[in-house]
C-alpha cells in the first residue's frame, strides 16, 4: 500500500535574527571541512563500528559484509495505489540504494521516483512527478570510519510543483558519532561548499556557489524496527535569497530476512519558488522492499 499526499505551506520571510542565523550557517558550512580535519576532534572518544556512514541522500540501512572482500549491496522498494469513484487517482513510488564498502572508502548511490495523477470528470492532471538521483564517495581517515572526506553530486526534478531541474556538486568533510554500545545508533554531520544549478518553471536559470550542511540519524527501536532521519540544506553564498532544504524520516520493519516494510515522510522546501507555486511540498509513502 502507498499513500501519497502532496501538500504545501507558504514559507514565511523573516528578517533580523533569521538573517543572522543564515549567515552563521553559511560560515559553519564553509569552515566545517577544516574543523573536522585530523586531530580537530581528538578529544572526542572514538568507537569502533563495522558499518560506514550512510549517503546523506539516503537513510535506509544498507549493511555491507563484515568479512572477506568488499562487495556491492543494496535495497529497493516499491508502492502503488489505485483509487476510483468520483475521483480516480494513481499513486506510485519507488526507490533504490546501492553501496560498495572497502577498508578505507565507500561508494554510495541512490535513486527515487514518486508520482501522483488524479482524474476528475474525465480531466487528468499530474500533481507530482519527482525524479531524484545522487552519488557520493567517502574517504575515511581512521580505521573506525568516524572521520571522512567526501565528494558528491545529486539531481532533482519535479516539474508539476515548479522545479524543472536542480543539480549540485560539491566536496567537504564529515564525522559520525556512534551513540550506543551496540554501535547501531549514530548521528552524522557533514558540510562544505557546493555548486548548485537551478531551473524553475517560468524563471531564468541560476548558478551559484552554496554552503551545504547535511545530517542524518539512525536508531534501532526494536530488534526488527529501524528509525532513520536525514536532512540537507543549501544556502547561496551570492547576494541572493536562494535557500533550499530536503528532509526525510523513515521507519523500516523487517518482515523476513530480505523483505521489509517502510513508511516514509518527506518534505522539500524552496525559499524562492517560481511564481504561482508554493514553497513547500510533502509526501507520505508506505512501500514494500527487498535487500540484496
Amino acid at each position: 500500500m502507498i499513500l501519497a499526499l502532496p501538500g504545501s505551506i507558504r514559507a514565511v520571510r523573516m528578517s533580523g535574527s533569521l538573517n543572522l542565523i543564515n549567515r552563521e550557517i553559511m560560515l559553519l558550512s564553509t569552515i566545517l571541512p577544516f574543523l573536522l580535519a585530523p586531530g580537530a576532534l581528538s578529544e572526542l572518544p572514538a568507537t569502533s563500528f563495522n558499518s560506514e556512514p550512510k549517503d546523506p541522500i539516503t537513510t535506509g540501512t544498507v549493511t555491507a559484509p563484515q568479512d572477506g572482500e568488499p562487495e556491492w549491496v543494496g535495497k529497493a522498494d516499491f508502492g502503488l495505489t489505485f483509487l476510483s469513484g468520483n475521483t480516480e487517482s494513481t499513486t506510485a513510488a519507488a526507490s533504490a540504494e546501492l553501496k560498495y564498502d572497502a577498508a578505507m572508502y565507500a561508494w554510495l548511490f541512490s535513486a527515487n521516483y514518486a508520482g501522483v495523477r488524479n482524474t476528475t470528470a474525465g480531466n487528468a492532471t499530474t500533481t507530482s512527478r519527482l525524479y531524484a538521483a545522487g552519488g557520493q564517495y567517502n574517504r575515511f581517515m581512521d580505521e573506525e570510519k568516524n572521520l571522512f572526506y567526501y565528494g558528491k553530486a545529486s539531481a532533482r526534478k519535479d516539474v508539476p510543483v515548479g522545479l524543472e531541474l536542480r543539480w549540485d556538486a560539491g566536496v567537504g568533510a564529515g564525522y559520525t558519532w556512534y551513540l550506543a554500545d551496540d554501535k547501531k545508533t549514530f548521528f552524522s554531520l557533514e558540510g562544505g561548499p557546493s555548486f548548485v544549478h537551478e531551473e524553475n518553471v517560468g524563471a531564468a536559470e541560476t548558478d551559484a556557489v552554496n554552503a551545504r550542511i547535511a545530517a542524518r540519524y539512525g536508531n534501532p527501536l526494536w530488534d526488527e524496527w529501524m528509525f532513520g532521519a536525514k536532512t540537507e540544506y543549501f544556502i547561496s553564498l551570492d547576494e541572493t535569497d536562494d535557500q533550499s532544504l530536503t528532509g526525510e524520516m523513515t521507519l523500516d520493519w523487517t518482515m523476513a530476512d530480505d523483505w521489509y516494510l517502510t513508511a516514509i515522510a518527506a518534505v522539500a522546501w524552496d525559499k524562492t519558488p517560481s511564481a504561482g507555486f508554493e514553497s513547500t511540498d510533502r509526501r507520505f509513502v508506505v512501500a514494500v522492499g527487498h535487500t540484496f
Side-chain angles (χ1 to χ4, degrees):
M1 181 186 73
I2 174 171
L3 173 62
L5 181 60
S8 62
I9 59 172
R10 292 188 177 276
V12 179
R13 185 181 297 273
M14 300 179 65
S15 60
S17 60
L18 180 58
N19 291 331
L20 177 59
I21 293 173
N22 285 338
R23 298 310 166 201
E24 291 175 346
I25 292 175
M26 293 164 57
L27 177 61
L28 174 61
S29 176
T30 305
I31 67 174
L32 188 58
F34 302 101
L35 295 177
L36 294 176
L41 297 172
S42 57
E43 296 182 359
L44 294 176
T47 57
S48 176
F49 186 49
N50 290 327
S51 181
E52 289 72 32
K54 299 174 203 170
D55 189 342
I57 305 172
T58 61
T59 54
T61 302
V62 179
T63 304
Q66 303 303 312
D67 299 310
E69 294 297 325
E71 63 183 44
W72 290 99
V73 294
K75 60 185 290 189
D77 53 67
F78 176 76
L80 181 66
T81 294
F82 295 101
L83 300 177
S84 63
N86 294 319
T87 299
E88 296 182 358
S89 177
T90 303
T91 304
S95 65
E97 302 172 19
L98 193 61
K99 182 176 182 179
Y100 181 85
D101 283 305
M104 295 300 291
Y105 68 90
W107 287 98
L108 311 104
F109 299 95
S110 67
N112 297 87
Y113 169 81
V116 181
R117 187 170 180 83
N118 298 316
T119 302
T120 304
N123 297 319
T125 58
T126 299
T127 57
S128 178
R129 184 170 290 162
L130 169 68
Y131 301 93
Q136 180 163 331
Y137 172 81
N138 289 345
R139 178 68 180 183
F140 302 107
M141 305 306 295
D142 53 59
E143 293 182 357
E144 292 78 15
K145 300 185 178 180
N146 298 118
L147 175 65
F148 60 96
Y149 294 97
Y150 71 84
K152 60 93 63 181
S154 65
R156 185 181 184 93
K157 178 184 181 73
D158 197 343
V159 175
V161 301
L163 181 62
E164 289 276 6
L165 176 67
R166 180 191 295 125
W167 62 263
D168 68 273
V171 296
Y175 194 91
T176 302
W177 292 268
Y178 301 105
L179 308 176
D181 291 339
D182 61 9
K183 303 180 179 64
K184 295 181 180 180
T185 303
F186 69 90
F187 173 76
S188 185
L189 179 67
E190 64 186 53
S194 289
F195 179 83
V196 177
H197 173 86
E198 185 170 273
E199 303 173 22
N200 286 326
V201 174
E205 300 179 7
T206 60
D207 296 295
V209 176
N210 280 233
R212 171 185 178 269
I213 290 181
R216 52 195 192 283
Y217 172 77
N219 185 12
L221 302 179
W222 301 282
D223 290 342
E224 299 175 345
W225 294 82
M226 180 69 179
F227 172 78
K230 66 176 181 179
T231 187
E232 186 177 38
Y233 173 72
F234 292 93
I235 181 170
S236 175
L237 298 178
D238 296 339
E239 294 299 323
T240 68
D241 292 330
D242 290 344
Q243 298 177 46
S244 64
L245 178 143
T246 58
E248 184 175 286
M249 291 190 299
T250 61
L251 183 62
D252 293 349
W253 171 48
T254 302
M255 300 182 296
D257 289 342
D258 298 327
W259 293 92
Y260 63 93
L261 182 70
T262 183
I264 304 170
V267 62
W269 173 76
D270 188 346
K271 186 179 181 181
T272 55
S274 297
F277 293 91
E278 301 292 343
S279 296
T280 305
D281 293 279
R282 298 178 299 273
R283 58 187 170 92
F284 303 91
V285 175
V286 177
V288 176
H290 179 70
T291 59
F292 54 89

